[in-house]
Amino acid sequence: MNECRNQSGWQAGPVTRRAVLRATAGATVLGAAWPAVSPSPGAELKGRIHQSVCLWCYKGYLKKSKMSLDEFAAACAKMGLKSIELVGPAQWPTLKKHGLICAMTPSHGIAKGLNRVGNHGECLAKIRKGIDDSADAGFPNVITLSGNREGMDDAEGLKNCVTGLKKIAPYAEKKKITVCLELLNSINHKDYMADSTAWCVELVEKVGSPRVKVLYDIYHAAMMKEDPLADIQKHHECWGHYHTGGCPGRHEIDDTQQLDYPKLMRAIAESGFSGYVGQEFIPQRPDALKSLRQAVTICDV
């Protein structure tokens, strides 16, 4: 995994997920063989894994290809995806037109999170709005983030995050929306606090709400030298959502990288998980939709 540390997976041309989240907030298992052939358009999937895709990863491709969100949503629905996520309510009618949902609603940004009590007012207000919007739309999850350390002790940050999430948990329970705090690596996202499985599991256990869980990002966990397969098998009850990404590089999740995604997806399915797995790799091939179709096939276990 050391070679993963030298790769930055957050840049796709001029578009980064950090920029997308900022905008919306304002409005280790090693390789085995897997399918390399993309499914034909409209191919019927097994459906054990409910698959989603993060729009920000395709912003550059859509701009270059002059493809609208409407066209992208139609292509996603045709290949069997159920959701396009991390998009705001203004874009939801387009998703619904094609039978898609937004499986993860954005809220606040990455660096300024719940680990500081001084951020709670702003962050919780945005989470609450995300809960309201998601409940009205019939969508399941709202994202939240720990924020950066900036010299803060991890134990203090954990305590503050728990305090903040306990404030919003009753409202999330009432609205039947799950708030998911994302595990990110602190290499690409320098100084990010929620960068370990142990920290995230302790958070969920201390909050003690069925509506507060973790967005377990497989790529980020691998970057931090965690063991995604073991984490899925042992701590799956703490995970409310998953994200994919090849390691090293955060590119296509095929045999050009190290993580055995079919094996990981089987573990997720066998855990009884009924939520969503969001494709969050950055396509490197000219035909990004072909890469996405391939990923759908790989994860359809």
Side-chain angles (χ1 to χ4, degrees):
M1 285 304 171
N2 287 339
E3 61 190 307
C4 300
R5 291 179 174 270
N6 298 322
Q7 302 291 333
S8 175
W10 288 93
Q11 186 77 21
V15 181
T16 66
R17 181 177 167 210
R18 182 181 281 107
V20 173
L21 281 175
R22 186 182 300 120
T24 53
T28 36
V29 184
L30 296 182
W34 46 68
V37 179
S38 301
S40 60
E44 186 173 343
L45 303 178
K46 299 181 183 74
R48 295 178 74 202
I49 299 293
H50 304 303
Q51 296 192 49
S52 177
V53 62
C54 296
L55 180 62
W56 76 269
C57 300
Y58 294 83
K59 286 282 191 177
Y61 173 76
L62 298 185
K63 184 177 181 179
K64 183 178 179 181
S65 303
K66 297 182 179 179
M67 178 180 286
S68 67
L69 176 61
D70 183 73
E71 293 168 324
F72 182 66
C76 289
K78 196 169 187 179
M79 67 179 73
L81 288 159
K82 304 295 184 184
S83 158
I84 298 175
E85 62 184 76
L86 296 177
V87 298
Q91 297 164 304
W92 292 354
T94 301
L95 274 56
K96 288 188 171 184
K97 173 184 173 182
H98 297 283
L100 301 172
I101 71 164
C102 176
M104 186 60 67
T105 298
S107 61
H108 58 90
I110 294 173
K112 186 178 178 181
L114 292 175
N115 62 346
R116 280 180 165 73
V117 174
N119 298 339
H120 284 187
E122 179 182 348
C123 291
L124 292 176
K126 290 179 177 179
I127 294 168
R128 188 181 181 96
K129 184 180 186 304
I131 289 171
D132 287 337
D133 290 340
S134 299
D136 289 345
F139 298 162
N141 303 306
V142 175
I143 195 171
T144 185
L145 300 110
S146 68
N148 292 347
R149 291 182 175 92
E150 297 181 358
M152 177 180 283
D153 180 76
D154 282 4
E156 181 183 356
L158 177 64
K159 179 182 176 182
N160 292 339
C161 285
V162 169
T163 297
L165 289 167
K166 280 189 172 182
K167 290 179 182 178
I168 201 68
Y171 193 67
E173 291 169 10
K174 177 183 176 181
K175 292 287 190 172
K176 297 181 171 59
I177 301 297
T178 302
V179 177
C180 296
L181 187 142
E182 185 167 14
L183 185 161
L184 300 176
N185 80 72
S186 53
I187 303 161
N188 299 146
H189 290 280
K190 186 173 176 58
D191 206 36
Y192 184 75
M193 183 170 282
D195 63 355
S196 76
T197 295
W199 192 98
C200 289
V201 169
E202 188 173 357
L203 173 90
V204 173
E205 291 175 346
K206 287 190 171 181
V207 175
S209 169
R211 289 295 177 176
V212 174
K213 293 186 181 291
V214 167
L215 194 173
Y216 185 81
D217 190 303
I218 295 167
Y219 159 77
H220 286 292
M223 284 284 289
M224 297 304 297
K225 299 186 178 180
E226 303 280 5
D227 184 340
L229 180 60
D231 289 346
I232 291 165
Q233 293 171 333
K234 185 175 181 180
H235 301 298
H236 59 85
E237 291 183 358
C238 295
W239 312 148
H241 193 85
Y242 291 91
H243 276 169
T244 72
C247 185
R250 196 177 189 158
H251 303 318
E252 280 79 358
I253 61 169
D254 56 18
D255 56 5
T256 62
Q257 53 83 72
Q258 297 176 346
L259 292 165
D260 185 343
Y261 270 97
K263 191 171 186 177
L264 293 168
M265 291 302 119
R266 285 193 293 272
I268 291 171
E270 289 163 5
S271 76
F273 182 70
S274 59
Y276 291 82
V277 173
Q279 301 287 357
E280 202 183 24
F281 64 92
I282 300 172
Q284 293 301 289
R285 298 172 188 138
D287 187 347
L289 292 184
K290 186 175 181 180
S291 291
L292 183 55
R293 284 194 295 270
Q294 181 193 44
V296 170
T297 297
I298 288 169
C299 292
D300 186 40
V301 295

